Each structure stands twice: as C-alpha cells, then as structure tokens.
Amino acid sequence: MAALAALAAQRLGLRTACAGLAPARAVRRSVLGVPPRPVAWRPSRCGSSAAEAPGTKAEEDSFLQWFLLLIPVTAFGLGTWQVQRRKWKLNLIADLESRVLAEPVPLPADPLELKALEYRPVKVRGHFDHSKELYMMPRTMVDPAREAREAGHISSSAESGAFVVTPFHCTDLGTTILVNRGFVPRKKVNPDTRRKGQIEGEVNLVGMVRLTETRKPFVPENNPERNHWYYRDLEAMAKITGADPIFIDANFQSTVPGGPIGGQTRVTVRNEHMQYIITWYGLSAATFYLWFKKFLRWTPGA
C-alpha cells in the first residue's frame, strides 16, 4: 500500500512540478486516506517569467537605441548652429572693416550718436591738457606683424608699457573729450621723460571712436588713486579729468617724435567657427556610423 501511494505521488508530482510542493503533499495525504486540508492554489510564474524576460530586454534595447541616437543628432545640430554663427561673424568682420576704412567724419555734437559709431574714424580740432594724463596699463604696443609672427607662442617679446589718455578740448564743439594718444614703454610713462612729445597749441586730430568697457573676469579693478586704469571706464575717467565720457584712439599719423605711438586700436575678432563646424559634423558622422553598425546592421540574404 505504501509503495502504491509513493508511485501515485511520484506521477502526480511530475504533472504539478511547476505548481509547487503544497499541491503534491495534499495529493499524497489523500491517497493515504487522510482528508487533505484546503490549500489556496496560486498560479505558477515559471512559464510567465520566461515569457516576460525577452519582452523586457527588447524594451530596454529599444530605449537604448533611440537614446544613443541623440548623440549624432545633437552633434549635427551644433554643427549647423556653428554654420549660422560663422555667417554672423563674417558679416560682423566685414562691417568692422568697412567702419575702420571709412573716411573720417566730424565728431558728432550729440553723444548719443556715438553709440552707432564705434571704430568709425572722426576728426576733431583742439588742444591737449597734459596735466591730467591717465595711464591704461599694463599694455603692449599694437604691432600686427609681430603678433602674426608670435601667434601660438607661449611667450612674447613685446615690451610692456601704458596707453597715455589725455583730455582734449575741442575748439569747434566746446567740449572736452578723452584721447588715447598711444603707447609708451614703462620707462617713459612719467611725462617728464618725454617733454619733447607733449604737443602744445591747437592741432587737428583723427581717431576712432571707442565706447566704455565692462570689467572682464580676472581683470583688476581700476585704481584712480594710483592712476592705474586696467579697462576703459569712461564715466570714471571723465569724472577724474572733468571731461565728457567720449573717447577716441588717435591714429598713427598723430605720432610725434618723443611722444606716444598712435594707432593703438586693436580691431580683431576671433573667427574659429570653421574648426567647430568640422569638429561637430565629424563627431556626428562618426557616432552615427557606430550607431548604425550597432543597431541597424543586417545579414546579407536574410
């Protein structure tokens, strides 16, 4: 009898292996003549887990596939944006060149008109007040030939010095403006060392209009007490000298022997957008190729 019950339990156990041990024990006890206790049957997850696993993996692969596609798409968008930026920069450079090369016009009497005239040559007539010189320092002399030779070098052979900013009373307009006469080496900053270059009397002057600057990061604050000016703060400079907040860079032709070297207007605009275009489009092409090879490759003849 016991052997028969064991055989029956074994056969039933094979049929209910995925249903758990509780149903098997219940069957065994019923065969032995003992009424089985009610057992709550729970559906097995053996088959469903195997069916759900491929579906979950497919969903994860699909999400990863489209998420990684964002890399080449974003790089392509950035490359296109750089194309537009390059067009804008080329137009800006062309506009600056046209301003710099334009014929000088009389300095406007209305200071508000100057906002549209930066880098535009203007002409004035009057005399300097050398007793109120300001010094923008440290500065190096603008020399395009030297700068081209030393492009990319860590060090520079340029001599350090200052720009001499002098109040200039305009006879025709009846106003006093600020004129950057040009560069002097550090040993010539003291006006007593360059008496020969201190122009007296009325002169005609041509210079480029410059607007005020905001202090850039890591640039020190101006120090009016020591007469050290690190950036062009026209309001503060005008307050110190009693001039109007109007500023021009005297051209090179204003240079006199022993005086500051004029023509210290640096008109340079960085245009590195072509490098960025090549970088972003190249990254887009490379990452799209890897994405295509990973997710969209096919077997020939399949």
Side-chain angles (χ1 to χ4, degrees), residues 69-86:
L69 184 60
L70 289 175
I71 298 176
V73 170
T74 301
F76 184 85
L78 290 172
T80 304
W81 176 64
Q82 287 296 331
V83 170
Q84 301 301 320
R85 291 278 297 172
R86 183 173 181 270

Side-chain angles (χ1 to χ4, degrees), residues 18-293:
C18 293
L21 296 178
R25 287 198 300 268
V27 172
R28 187 183 303 116
R29 293 181 64 183
S30 64
V31 174
L32 294 175
V34 181
R37 289 181 298 176
V39 177
W41 180 80
R42 297 179 180 178
S44 172
R45 298 183 60 86
C46 294
S48 63
S49 298
E52 290 176 0
T56 302
K57 187 176 186 303
E59 292 177 0
E60 292 177 352
D61 290 345
S62 178
F63 172 79
L64 181 63
Q65 173 183 351
W66 297 114
F67 178 77
L68 292 179
L69 184 60
L70 289 175
I71 298 176
V73 170
T74 301
F76 184 85
L78 290 172
T80 304
W81 176 64
Q82 287 296 331
V83 170
Q84 301 301 320
R85 291 278 297 172
R86 183 173 181 270
K87 291 180 180 178
W88 169 80
K89 187 63 68 66
L90 291 176
N91 290 334
L92 176 62
I93 293 173
D95 178 63
L96 287 177
E97 289 178 349
S98 66
R99 291 189 181 205
V100 170
L101 300 176
E103 287 295 322
V105 297
L107 181 69
D110 185 1
L112 295 178
E113 297 182 27
L114 295 174
K115 293 183 179 180
L117 295 178
E118 186 167 26
Y119 294 109
R120 181 70 187 269
V122 295
K123 52 186 178 182
V124 293
R125 179 174 178 80
H127 61 271
F128 288 103
D129 181 0
H130 299 291
S131 65
K132 298 180 180 179
E133 284 184 348
L134 305 178
Y135 307 112
M136 298 184 66
M137 57 193 310
R139 293 291 189 273
T140 57
M141 188 172 67
V142 174
D143 185 351
R146 174 185 53 79
E147 292 170 4
R149 291 194 307 269
E150 297 179 351
H153 294 185
I154 298 177
S155 60
S156 174
S157 60
E159 184 179 8
S160 178
F163 290 167
V164 178
V165 179
T166 308
F168 184 87
H169 182 75
C170 301
T171 305
D172 297 337
L173 299 177
T175 59
T176 300
I177 65 174
L178 297 170
V179 176
N180 173 17
R181 294 187 60 201
F183 172 83
V184 294
R186 186 176 293 274
K187 62 184 179 182
K188 293 287 187 178
V189 170
N190 188 335
D192 292 333
T193 62
R194 46 184 168 84
R195 286 294 181 184
K196 186 179 177 181
Q198 302 296 73
I199 304 174
E200 300 293 342
E202 286 200 350
V203 294
N204 292 315
L205 197 64
V206 174
M208 291 186 186
V209 175
R210 304 303 306 276
L211 302 181
T212 192
E213 290 180 311
T214 56
R215 188 174 69 88
K216 298 178 181 179
F218 309 111
V219 173
E221 292 283 356
N222 288 328
N223 190 338
E225 290 76 16
R226 297 184 58 192
N227 200 5
H228 286 182
W229 301 83
Y230 301 99
Y231 62 97
R232 204 168 44 249
D233 185 348
L234 297 191
E235 292 295 336
M237 289 177 164
K239 184 178 179 180
I240 289 290
T241 59
D244 292 326
I246 300 173
F247 192 105
I248 67 173
D249 287 338
N251 63 7
F252 181 76
Q253 287 70 25
S254 68
T255 306
V256 296
I261 301 174
Q264 299 303 306
T265 305
R266 191 181 299 276
V267 187
T268 55
V269 179
R270 293 180 60 186
N271 183 16
E272 300 177 349
H273 296 289
M274 181 57 72
Q275 301 177 26
Y276 301 145
I277 291 171
I278 295 173
T279 299
W280 287 121
Y281 278 155
L283 180 62
S284 176
T287 53
F288 181 76
Y289 170 76
L290 295 175
W291 181 88
F292 183 86
K293 187 176 180 181

Side-chain angles (χ1 to χ4, degrees), residues 5-29:
L7 179 61
Q10 182 179 4
R11 291 179 178 178
L12 290 174
L14 292 174
R15 297 177 183 177
T16 61
C18 293
L21 296 178
R25 287 198 300 268
V27 172
R28 187 183 303 116
R29 293 181 64 183

